[in-house]
Amino acid sequence: MRVRSLFYFLGEAVKSIARNGWMSVASIAVVAITLFILGSFMVLNYNVALFTEDIKEQVQIVLYIDDDASEEEKAELQKQLVTHNQLEEVRFVSREEAFERLKEQLGDRSYLLEGYENEAENPLRDSYELRTAVPEDVPEVGREVENFPGVGHVDYGSGVVEPLFQFTGVVRWVGLAFMGGLAVTAIFLIAHTIRLTVYIRRKEIMIMKYVGATDWFIRWPFIFEGTILGLIGAVLPLLIIYYGYQSAVEWMQSNIIFISMIPVEEVIQELLKVLLPLGVALGILGSSISVRRFLKV
Amino acid sequence: MIEMHHLYKQFGSDIMALSDINLTIDRGEFIFIVGASGAGKSTLLKLLLRELQPSRGVLKIFGRDVTRFKNRDVPYLRRNIGMVFQDFRLLSDRNVFDNIAFALRVIGASKREIRKRVPLALEMVKLKDKAFKKPDELSGGEQQRVGVARALVNRPAVVIADEPTGNLDPDTSMDIMNLLSEINIRGTTVIVATHAKELVDHFQKRVVVLENGFLISDRERGVYFNAR
């Protein structure tokens, strides 16, 4: 394809998009909505994955020692834990260590802990952090160690984490189905827009054939038109997600302290790799359908 | 340049549009193809443009057998054939210059070529002063001149005109025919399908008569021939 032809095709495609007005807008909008949903799910997915990693790295069971437990009870507890064959790791965390750790986690918000620094004011308890050899054993072992001597309270996150994963799983499937439907609609709308262009340009196409334009010379402007519609439809959700996610990250960081999120640049880089090709693919697919069916060359 | 030997074109199982056509057209000829509607004129022209394929027989254009043409070769065949239509087929959304330039643009001609050749074609049809008018600002005769210029601009070896004066009054028709004749004198082969009796008789060129798909007469310096 020669460069001057390329400019010709682009020019014709842009003219068509402008001339088709609302049909172009509708095509772009449906592509944009489809890709926006996909993009949002990808963002959610990345963050859930990060969150899961965080959790896996964290201890699986935390056992808080009863403040009133006697030294004998504490010794017995330690013995039972260390000899438990389902436990891979048993780590004692003193309340001082726990306090330091919390302070570190809070980072520049550690002023929240002011006034609790001295030994007597420390609100935290001594604890054991336990890791099972097999993650699936967590609930069982968690229930078991609750009855060990000197135990105040046992925390095993499964009660919170599992429903969360189940929920995101359901949302993901519903979203995928919805997105599939929208993608079909997007292809259909683009095909319809291109069909309209073919109709408007039928006289031009006929003359082109008579004066010896090649089939591909006739087809390209329509393919370009579809591609541009798809591309604009991909850029819009990228912009929306960029600014939306950026403010979401800022809001999360100032309101919910413990959740870490993937930085916006990293997310957009990943989305670019997926949404742009998909938008272009939807556009090419839609226009190809109409070029094949309605453009008799 | 164009050779037909025992050429047949059949539609469906029983309609024979052309039967046993034998016709040779040499470089630089001016030829009228006449006949009533349905005699087979349009089918003949469509075969020349390879819009249709012959059912039987031989059709050679520029020495090449069109039945052996691949679809992707067809555009290059058509670049050597300038087409003039009864209804002009101009694009109403662009001016005369751009209508003519369109024929060059869509075969990938450069801007320089377009700037050089379009004015030459305009000069040929004497429309230099109307280059920037839209088609609907022109008379019918002027519009057909634009049509002729568009057919010529690519310097084809053959110009085929399908009822070029069908929509024009007699004086204007004579003008257009004179123009085609002038183009012929400059070396381009011209094929005119028509049933304008007065024009055919006036010009005294070769006349081929079709009737019911048969070639019933082929005469140098002929007149419009009506068998009935």
Side-chain angles (χ1 to χ4, degrees):
Chain A
M1 197 190 299
R2 276 174 286 194
V3 174
R4 63 168 170 270
S5 299
L6 189 76
F7 283 119
Y8 174 82
F9 300 147
L10 276 173
E12 295 301 298
V14 170
K15 264 191 256 170
S16 261
I17 289 170
R19 183 163 46 192
N20 289 344
W22 286 109
M23 275 305 295
S24 302
V25 172
S27 303
I28 291 170
V30 177
V31 174
I33 292 166
T34 310
L35 295 183
F36 176 74
I37 293 173
L38 175 66
S40 305
F41 275 102
M42 285 174 67
V43 170
L44 186 69
N45 244 354
Y46 289 143
N47 282 295
V48 166
L50 178 75
F51 186 56
T52 314
E53 280 306 305
D54 275 2
I55 295 214
K56 275 187 189 156
E57 277 172 23
Q58 285 167 18
V59 284
Q60 291 162 311
I61 303 169
V62 180
L63 183 156
Y64 297 98
I65 298 168
D66 191 350
D67 290 336
D68 304 328
S70 64
E71 290 306 315
E72 293 80 47
E73 280 175 322
K74 286 180 186 174
E76 178 60 21
L77 173 64
Q78 185 177 18
K79 199 184 114 203
Q80 287 196 26
L81 287 174
V82 172
T83 55
H84 196 289
N85 57 12
Q86 277 165 297
L87 285 173
E88 191 186 59
E89 197 183 311
V90 176
R91 194 173 169 284
F92 178 75
V93 180
S94 70
R95 44 202 296 249
E96 291 78 22
E97 192 185 341
F99 188 84
E100 281 310 310
R101 222 195 259 174
L102 182 61
K103 210 165 141 185
E104 200 175 295
Q105 247 178 6
L106 287 172
D108 52 4
R109 283 181 293 274
S110 60
Y111 57 83
L112 292 169
L113 297 173
E114 271 169 33
Y116 296 108
E117 275 123 344
N118 60 53
E119 176 72 34
E121 302 290 337
N122 186 345
L124 305 173
R125 292 192 279 187
D126 289 333
S127 62
Y128 281 102
E129 290 176 356
L130 312 174
R131 184 185 291 271
T132 56
V134 186
E136 282 71 27
D137 291 342
V138 167
E140 186 198 326
V141 177
R143 273 191 298 277
E144 191 188 339
V145 297
E146 267 174 348
N147 302 317
F148 283 9
V151 174
H153 171 72
V154 177
D155 205 349
Y156 47 102
S158 60
V160 186
V161 174
E162 274 162 18
L164 177 69
F165 288 160
Q166 262 168 11
F167 173 74
T168 54
V170 168
V171 168
R172 203 173 302 164
W173 283 113
V174 171
L176 271 177
F178 192 49
M179 215 163 52
L182 277 171
V184 171
T185 312
I187 292 171
F188 173 81
L189 264 176
I190 290 175
H192 198 78
T193 309
I194 303 301
R195 182 186 172 178
L196 187 73
T197 308
V198 170
Y199 180 76
I200 290 169
R201 301 201 150 192
R202 62 196 183 285
K203 194 170 174 185
E204 237 171 278
I205 292 166
M206 181 178 63
I207 295 168
M208 285 168 98
K209 278 186 247 178
Y210 277 120
V211 300
T214 59
D215 293 354
W216 275 105
F217 195 98
I218 297 173
R219 288 184 192 125
W220 274 120
F222 299 101
I223 304 289
F224 272 52
E225 185 178 343
T227 308
I228 293 171
L229 293 175
L231 205 57
I232 299 174
V235 169
L236 286 179
L238 278 170
L239 288 175
I240 295 169
I241 290 173
Y242 181 86
Y243 290 108
Y245 184 71
Q246 204 171 37
S247 31
V249 170
E250 278 163 21
W251 187 85
M252 286 289 233
Q253 276 171 351
S254 54
N255 290 284
I256 303 172
I257 301 160
F258 297 107
I259 291 182
S260 51
M261 286 176 83
I262 299 174
V264 67
E265 287 76 20
E266 224 171 284
V267 164
I268 289 298
Q269 251 177 27
E270 287 302 310
L271 290 188
L272 270 174
K273 281 186 238 162
V274 176
L275 297 198
L276 284 186
L278 264 180
V280 169
L282 288 177
I284 290 177
L285 210 63
S287 49
S288 306
I289 290 171
S290 272
V291 164
R292 184 167 296 201
R293 283 189 54 195
F294 303 109
L295 187 62
K296 297 280 177 289
V297 290
Chain B
M1 179 147 63
I2 295 169
E3 286 175 63
M4 302 176 197
H5 298 294
H6 304 294
L7 190 69
Y8 290 80
K9 180 61 193 178
Q10 188 172 356
F11 292 111
S13 56
D14 52 347
I15 302 163
M16 196 60 89
L18 289 173
S19 300
D20 197 24
I21 304 291
N22 292 287
L23 180 65
T24 303
I25 302 170
D26 290 324
R27 188 171 291 277
E29 272 198 278
F30 190 114
I31 178 168
F32 283 114
I33 296 175
V34 302
S37 314
K41 300 193 298 287
S42 298
T43 305
L44 193 71
L45 299 188
K46 281 180 177 159
L47 287 171
L48 290 177
L49 287 165
R50 203 179 166 289
E51 264 183 79
L52 295 173
Q53 289 261 41
S55 305
R56 249 191 295 158
V58 177
L59 171 56
K60 281 187 183 173
I61 301 174
F62 310 124
R64 291 185 64 187
D65 187 343
V66 294
T67 54
R68 297 219 188 114
F69 264 55
K70 293 194 183 71
N71 281 333
R72 63 162 186 274
D73 294 332
V74 173
Y76 301 96
L77 166 73
R78 292 186 185 162
R79 287 178 194 188
N80 278 307
I81 301 174
M83 202 54 208
V84 178
F85 305 94
Q86 175 171 5
D87 55 358
F88 321 138
R89 300 198 182 168
L90 303 179
L91 298 169
S92 54
D93 64 339
R94 57 197 86 186
N95 64 33
V96 169
F97 187 99
D98 287 335
N99 261 284
I100 299 168
F102 185 70
L104 290 174
R105 211 164 271 152
V106 301
I107 60 171
S110 68
K111 279 218 172 77
R112 226 184 67 196
E113 266 179 299
I114 291 169
R115 273 198 296 265
K116 198 180 85 185
R117 290 220 224 151
V118 176
L120 286 176
L122 278 169
E123 196 166 351
M124 183 82 202
V125 301
K126 300 176 189 71
L127 276 179
K128 267 203 128 159
D129 52 330
K130 306 254 164 113
F132 300 106
K133 299 251 187 229
K134 292 278 179 71
D136 56 12
E137 297 173 279
L138 303 177
S139 70
E142 287 169 332
Q143 288 187 43
Q144 190 57 297
R145 283 170 182 278
V146 178
V148 172
R150 185 181 61 199
L152 279 178
V153 73
N154 189 29
R155 293 185 292 193
V158 190
V159 167
I160 296 177
D162 188 7
E163 301 279 6
T165 61
N167 287 6
L168 303 175
D169 63 57
D171 284 351
T172 318
S173 297
M174 192 61 87
D175 279 352
I176 293 295
M177 218 53 99
N178 277 324
L179 179 60
L180 290 170
S181 177
E182 207 177 303
I183 288 160
N184 174 243
I185 288 163
R186 295 193 185 195
T188 307
T189 308
V190 175
I191 301 171
V192 181
T194 185
H195 45 244
K197 186 177 182 309
E198 298 76 18
L199 290 174
V200 175
D201 293 349
H202 174 87
F203 277 90
Q204 301 273 304
K205 304 276 190 186
R206 181 178 175 192
V207 179
V208 167
V209 185
L210 293 177
E211 194 179 282
N212 295 326
F214 289 93
L215 196 163
I216 58 167
S217 162
D218 181 358
R219 300 179 187 189
E220 295 299 326
R221 275 204 282 283
V223 290
Y224 196 103
F225 183 90
N226 200 332
R228 279 154 302 192

